[in-house]
Amino acid sequence: MASVWGGRTADGAGPGDTRARYRRILRFAAWHLAVTWWFELMLPRLGLRRISDRNRAQRMRHFARRFHALAVQLGGLMIKVGQFMSSRLDVLPPEITAELEGLQDEVPPVPFHAIKALAEQELGAPLEAVFASVDESPIAAASLGQAHRARLLPLDQEETGLAGVVFKVQRPGIDKIVDVDLAALRKVGGWLNRIRVVAHRADVPALIKEFSQTSLEEIDYLNEAANSERFAADFDGDRRVAVPAVVWERTSRRVLTLEDVTAIKITDAGALRQAGIDPSQVAPVFASVMFDQLFTNGFFHADPHPGNIFVTPTADPAAGHPWKLTFIDFGMMGEVPPKTRSGLRKLLVAAAARDGKGLVSAINDVGVLVPSADTRKLERAMTQLFARFGGMGFAELREVDPREFRDFAVEFGDVVRSLPFQLPENFLLIIRAMSLTSGVCSSLDPKFNLWDSVEPYAARLLRDERGNMAKDIAAQALDAATLAVGLPKRLDAVLSRIDDGSFEAADPRLERQIARLVRTGQRAVAALVFGALLVAGALVRQDDLVLSNVLMIASVVPLLVGLRPRRR
């Protein structure tokens, strides 16, 4: 723990301050864990569940308000933790998420002289020798860093093609604060992991480790710059998306200089309309771009809140629409492993088809349920959920009688709670990204229906999957055909050895049995090739009629071979 406690932070915070911060976080967590244990575990065991239920909502709101105040006062990672909690609508009660949803990563700015000193130390030169001008008033002040506008020197402008830039500098001493916060979170995670009901549902130490890795990457601006360029490469040639260029000569681990791409904030409906852009047309494009990141690229922006996305008007008539989505702040990114991505694609297709059983199967593939889970009741719950609420947008769901939701929760809540869930790698970031995407789309268009974006995207995925399946079947057919061609020669060689006496066999009926085996093998292979070509032709018929006809006609040849009468 020497790295946590040792030395003074750059903003003057000494070891005593870091120890006090650590103890304050642990006191807060310990008290509220004790309260939760008493009301949610002990009182029900004593037969006093009614007392626990009576003031649960009030207790939750009280906890959320206290955490909100703690996060605002302490800053650092506590604001990130609060923002994450506000997006966990799936596991946290609305009393907590509603109270924390307004928690913004906005803190009082650091005086410019401290920012200037750190930037000059990192860049190895006075700011006057690095930039033509710097605006001392920050355009953003967050818990981990602070951003200022600047202009490059004429020579740098010629080399980069950029004039106006934004340079972001870490808050002095933030690395020590992050170390303290992570140490406190690991301690709290250890406490939670000893609670059986929590440990049964999630690997808390693994979740804390994932959060720690993400947080440490977020304060490494070289990593953020590399993420920015990788994201830009993923959308190279995509006219819907823009990414700021990195000025590498003015970038280090704690200073990041980027092209100034400031435009219209994505949720500023008034400014969008003034620019001639309909907010309701932005929502489906944004949803589609996020789907591409999660389900196709496997590399996604894990913090797509409104402050990190601009709508940039463009005069390019070939763009298809007169604006682009410009993403910034690539410190928090996530990767979806191929297996998880395949499961997510299957999940998306099942959700679009309102297939409750397929949805549960996809959830299994993703790894959210442990293999031993009995999913039959969950399949029934998902089927009924789709039957009643499937296809509704958020505006329509608001008009549904709350008693219907309550009845559904009463009927199936125990089923969901009893299943042993687990969270795979990077799933926290996936949930966060999708929650923020849904919120931004609803802000752009209150009547926005996520299904309208899911269904065409799922249909495209299904076509892609069918195309891949057709290729696999065609490859298998080629392998089978190769086997069919080679098998008679190999069996003929065996028969030749029998004819010339070099094949020793004690059974005189062996020759007739091998001959029958040859005919049976030829027919089996012919049937396999026929079926493979026929199925492949049917699968690709919608996308490529010519190829479909060729495959179906070709399937006649192995069919005739298989039906050919055998010679006596």
Side-chain angles (χ1 to χ4, degrees):
M1 298 297 291
S3 62
V4 175
W5 311 128
R8 272 192 173 285
T9 63
D11 56 353
D17 297 319
T18 53
R19 290 195 189 98
R21 180 186 183 91
Y22 179 79
R23 287 197 298 265
R24 185 172 178 188
I25 295 171
L26 292 189
R27 280 199 306 268
F28 180 91
W31 169 254
H32 286 283
L33 281 175
V35 169
T36 301
W37 173 82
W38 174 253
F39 281 98
E40 302 300 330
L41 295 178
M42 281 305 299
L43 289 184
R45 288 182 182 177
L46 297 173
L48 301 173
R49 182 178 294 276
R50 283 183 299 177
I51 297 177
S52 173
D53 294 343
R54 190 184 308 156
N55 63 349
R56 177 177 289 113
Q58 182 180 347
R59 287 199 314 274
M60 298 298 177
R61 280 192 292 269
H62 177 67
F63 162 77
R65 290 192 189 108
R66 287 199 62 198
F67 186 86
H68 189 290
L70 179 77
V72 169
Q73 187 172 3
L74 292 182
L77 292 184
M78 291 299 101
I79 289 180
K80 299 288 182 184
V81 172
Q83 289 177 328
F84 169 72
M85 290 167 64
S86 72
S87 69
R88 290 310 307 268
L89 302 173
D90 53 334
V91 294
L92 292 177
E95 291 83 5
I96 291 179
T97 57
E99 187 68 34
L100 294 177
E101 66 183 0
L103 185 61
Q104 299 294 320
D105 192 1
E106 296 175 358
V107 296
V110 176
F112 182 73
H113 67 83
I115 292 291
K116 184 173 184 285
L118 192 150
E120 291 179 343
Q121 177 186 343
E122 284 291 304
L123 298 176
L127 283 189
E128 295 79 7
V130 174
F131 297 108
S133 64
V134 176
D135 187 350
E136 296 188 7
S137 300
I139 56 174
S143 56
L144 303 182
Q146 188 163 304
H148 294 256
R149 279 199 176 92
R151 290 190 68 80
L152 294 177
L153 295 168
L155 185 60
D156 291 335
Q157 291 186 30
E158 289 181 16
E159 290 181 357
T160 63
L162 305 175
V165 295
V166 170
F167 85 103
K168 185 163 70 169
V169 184
Q170 275 186 18
R171 293 182 75 89
I174 193 61
D175 50 348
K176 295 285 194 303
I177 291 174
V178 167
D179 284 347
V180 171
D181 290 356
L182 290 178
L185 288 174
R186 281 190 285 269
K187 188 74 171 180
V188 175
W191 294 343
L192 288 171
N193 206 45
R194 292 174 186 164
I195 303 173
R196 187 180 304 171
V197 67
V198 176
H200 183 61
R201 289 184 175 276
D203 184 350
V204 178
L207 297 180
I208 298 294
K209 182 179 179 181
E210 182 182 337
F211 182 80
S212 301
Q213 181 180 347
T214 303
S215 301
L216 293 173
E217 288 175 353
E218 198 169 356
I219 59 172
D220 181 353
Y221 288 166
L222 290 173
N223 179 70
E224 180 174 344
N227 287 341
S228 174
E229 293 204 333
R230 178 178 172 184
F231 188 88
D234 282 346
F235 286 96
D236 185 33
D238 190 326
R239 291 170 175 164
R240 302 170 301 168
V241 178
V243 179
V246 178
V247 183
W248 284 100
E249 295 78 6
R250 300 291 177 258
T251 295
S252 71
R253 194 180 71 83
R254 296 198 288 177
V255 174
L256 174 62
T257 305
L258 299 164
E259 174 187 6
D260 188 356
V261 292
T262 308
I264 303 171
K265 187 177 179 180
I266 190 170
T267 51
D268 189 344
L272 289 172
R273 292 192 186 94
Q274 191 174 356
I277 300 171
D278 184 353
S280 65
Q281 293 181 357
V282 176
V285 175
F286 175 58
S288 177
V289 169
M290 291 304 299
F291 289 157
D292 280 342
Q293 295 172 47
L294 285 161
F295 304 115
T296 303
N297 301 340
F299 182 65
F300 64 95
H301 199 302
D303 197 21
H305 65 75
N308 284 340
I309 305 144
F310 296 118
V311 177
T312 306
T314 175
D316 182 6
H321 46 76
W323 48 267
K324 291 185 177 184
L325 293 171
T326 302
F327 287 77
I328 63 170
D329 195 351
F330 298 93
M332 187 186 294
M333 303 295 290
E335 290 198 58
V336 187
K339 183 179 179 182
T340 304
R341 199 184 323 161
S342 175
L344 287 173
R345 289 159 71 101
K346 183 178 174 183
L347 188 149
L348 189 68
V349 171
R354 319 289 199 271
D355 178 6
K357 188 173 181 179
L359 188 71
V360 175
S361 174
I363 290 172
N364 255 327
D365 288 354
V366 170
V368 174
L369 288 172
V370 298
S372 60
D374 183 358
T375 59
R376 287 171 295 180
K377 291 182 179 179
L378 183 61
E379 287 174 5
R380 187 164 65 89
M382 291 298 102
T383 301
Q384 292 198 22
L385 178 68
F386 279 132
R388 176 61 188 92
F389 306 114
M392 288 187 177
F394 291 103
E396 295 170 290
L397 288 172
R398 289 191 198 102
E399 297 175 5
V400 175
D401 188 338
R403 285 175 294 185
E404 289 196 48
F405 292 117
R406 195 158 50 244
D407 292 343
F408 184 87
V410 169
E411 184 176 0
F412 294 107
D414 290 339
V415 173
V416 175
R417 281 191 291 271
S418 65
L419 287 171
F421 287 97
Q422 59 184 5
L423 291 176
E425 180 185 0
N426 251 335
F427 223 70
L428 293 178
L429 296 180
I430 294 173
I431 293 170
R432 174 181 174 80
M434 291 311 298
S435 297
L436 289 170
T437 299
S438 176
V440 169
C441 289
S442 297
S443 297
L444 287 164
D445 181 6
K447 295 181 180 179
F448 177 78
N449 189 336
L450 193 62
W451 298 106
D452 292 339
S453 292
V454 167
E455 286 175 341
Y457 195 87
R460 195 183 90 197
L461 287 180
L462 197 55
R463 285 196 301 272
D464 292 345
E465 293 295 335
R466 284 204 310 230
N468 292 336
M469 189 185 301
K471 290 177 184 176
D472 291 343
I473 291 174
Q476 291 171 12
L478 181 62
D479 291 341
T482 304
L483 178 63
V485 170
L487 186 59
K489 292 182 180 179
R490 295 171 66 184
L491 289 174
D492 186 59
V494 175
L495 291 174
S496 298
R497 292 177 62 190
I498 293 174
D499 285 338
D500 62 21
S502 62
F503 188 92
E504 297 182 3
D507 190 347
R509 294 174 299 176
L510 182 59
E511 183 178 345
R512 291 195 300 275
Q513 290 174 348
I514 291 179
R516 282 197 296 270
L517 177 62
V518 171
R519 289 194 297 271
T520 303
Q522 287 176 329
R523 289 188 174 191
V525 171
L528 175 63
V529 175
F530 164 71
L533 290 173
L534 187 65
V535 172
L539 284 172
V540 302
R541 191 165 188 80
Q542 182 178 350
D543 299 319
D544 193 332
L545 186 59
V546 175
L547 177 60
S548 173
N549 290 335
V550 170
L551 290 171
M552 288 186 168
I553 292 170
S555 71
V556 175
V557 176
L559 177 63
L560 294 175
V561 171
L563 295 178
R564 185 181 60 187
R566 66 181 183 180
R567 289 172 293 189
R568 298 288 179 184

